[in-house]
Amino acid sequence: MSDDDFFRAALRGNVAVLQAMANLHPRLLSAWSSGSAGRHTALSLAAAAAQADAVATIISLGAELNAPDDDGTTPLMHAAMHGHARVLQILLDAGAGATLERSDDGMNAVCLAAAYGRPNSLGVFFRADPSLVGARAANGRTPLHCAVAARQAPTAKYLLGRWRAAPDATDAHGDTPLHLVEDKPSLLLLLYAHPHPPSLERTNAAGQTAAEALAARGLNSLADALAAMPSRSWPADASMLERMESGDAGTHDHDHHEDDDERHKGHDHDHD
């Protein structure tokens, strides 16, 4: 059998092959696969494919829990991004690091779960350690920052409502989550309606209020609505934002590109 058979076994959850090959060739536990979608450890492949029994087996055989792929993504990050709660729990119970930073962008597993809109992953993290609600990526962003920046409104609502995430936290650039709102009026509404919203006068490192930061990114309608909020009654402001959300008012002057998660897909095809 070739090395590729070992990685296929990880993807497909073939525990018998994993055990037999790892006993014969222990080096495979720390080796990287080869493929057009990047190079990955067997543990990462099993975690991304939600193969819980394979993940437990590879760990029991002695694989390094936090060994990254070629782009710095750890097995825990894969499980978090894909929303595989059972795999995530297995890795956390074994001691995988939730706040380790990915080498190419400084994101940790908790912030990746928020950015990919995986509240089930976030629930596993926070039940294991409630302090992870405030876990910081390399740029100082919290999970709430990451959810807002990625336009993940349901996840942001989950963080604020279920886990009391701080809406006024600032990142390394002085941005609150309100500074990072994209063309998603519901997120603006969610943050502004919070019982303890970030101050509308707070400025980031560039000296911009949230309204000014929105305007600088071409979100003029949202910026105008936010700038008017301190002097208007909340029901009127809410009505304006709700009309924007339903498409009755323009919120952006240029195209917005969705997060690209293609590099995290297609592992199975690389080893067939």
Side-chain angles (χ1 to χ4, degrees), residues 181-189 210-211 214-215 217-229 240-241 244-245 250-252:
V181 170
E182 288 293 340
D183 50 346
K184 196 78 172 176
S186 60
L187 279 168
L188 197 65
L189 184 64
L214 294 177
R217 298 203 305 280
L219 298 163
N220 296 318
S221 296
L222 286 181
D224 291 345
L226 188 58
M229 281 180 182
M240 175 186 291
L241 289 171
M244 291 178 183
E245 182 69 6
T251 60
H252 208 306

Side-chain angles (χ1 to χ4, degrees), residues 145-157:
H145 281 94
C146 295
V148 170
R151 307 193 309 165
Q152 300 289 357
T155 301
K157 183 176 182 179

Side-chain angles (χ1 to χ4, degrees), residues 6 15-29 57 60-62:
F6 185 73
V15 170
V17 170
L18 290 171
Q19 290 173 326
M21 292 192 70
N23 287 333
L24 286 173
H25 308 290
R27 63 176 178 78
L28 290 172
L29 292 170
T57 296
S60 72
L61 290 167

Side-chain angles (χ1 to χ4, degrees), residues 158-173:
Y158 176 71
L159 285 162
L160 288 165
R162 174 66 178 83
W163 296 102
R164 305 294 187 265
D168 58 347
T170 55
D171 65 14
H173 302 290

Side-chain angles (χ1 to χ4, degrees), residues 1-232:
M1 301 180 83
S2 69
D3 289 2
D4 282 347
D5 291 313
F6 185 73
F7 297 112
R8 286 194 193 95
L11 280 166
R12 296 170 180 171
N14 192 328
V15 170
V17 170
L18 290 171
Q19 290 173 326
M21 292 192 70
N23 287 333
L24 286 173
H25 308 290
R27 63 176 178 78
L28 290 172
L29 292 170
S30 58
W32 278 342
S33 65
S34 59
S36 60
R39 297 183 296 169
H40 311 277
T41 66
L43 187 55
S44 281
L45 292 172
Q51 297 291 357
D53 290 341
V55 167
T57 296
I58 294 169
I59 292 171
S60 72
L61 290 167
E64 168 54 48
L65 278 174
N66 297 313
D69 299 333
D70 61 349
D71 67 351
T73 306
T74 66
L76 190 70
M77 292 173 187
H78 281 291
M81 288 187 295
H82 290 289
H84 300 326
R86 184 182 171 203
V87 170
L88 195 64
Q89 190 68 65
I90 291 169
L91 289 163
L92 285 175
D93 288 346
T99 58
L100 295 175
E101 294 171 359
R102 190 160 63 179
S103 57
D104 70 342
D105 61 6
M107 292 283 276
N108 60 46
V110 187
C111 290
L112 284 167
Y116 276 74
R118 307 297 189 189
N120 55 337
S121 292
L122 292 171
V124 174
F125 280 124
F126 302 154
R127 283 188 288 273
D129 181 358
S131 72
L132 291 174
V133 176
R136 301 275 181 161
N139 58 8
R141 291 184 179 180
T142 65
L144 181 59
H145 281 94
C146 295
V148 170
R151 307 193 309 165
Q152 300 289 357
T155 301
K157 183 176 182 179
Y158 176 71
L159 285 162
L160 288 165
R162 174 66 178 83
W163 296 102
R164 305 294 187 265
D168 58 347
T170 55
D171 65 14
H173 302 290
D175 289 322
T176 68
L178 199 56
H179 284 82
L180 303 179
V181 170
E182 288 293 340
D183 50 346
K184 196 78 172 176
S186 60
L187 279 168
L188 197 65
L189 184 64
L190 184 66
L191 291 164
Y192 188 78
H194 191 273
H196 305 288
S199 169
L200 300 182
E201 304 305 315
R202 178 174 289 180
T203 57
N204 60 16
Q208 298 171 321
T209 64
E212 290 166 344
L214 294 177
R217 298 203 305 280
L219 298 163
N220 296 318
S221 296
L222 286 181
D224 291 345
L226 188 58
M229 281 180 182
S231 60
R232 298 178 62 177

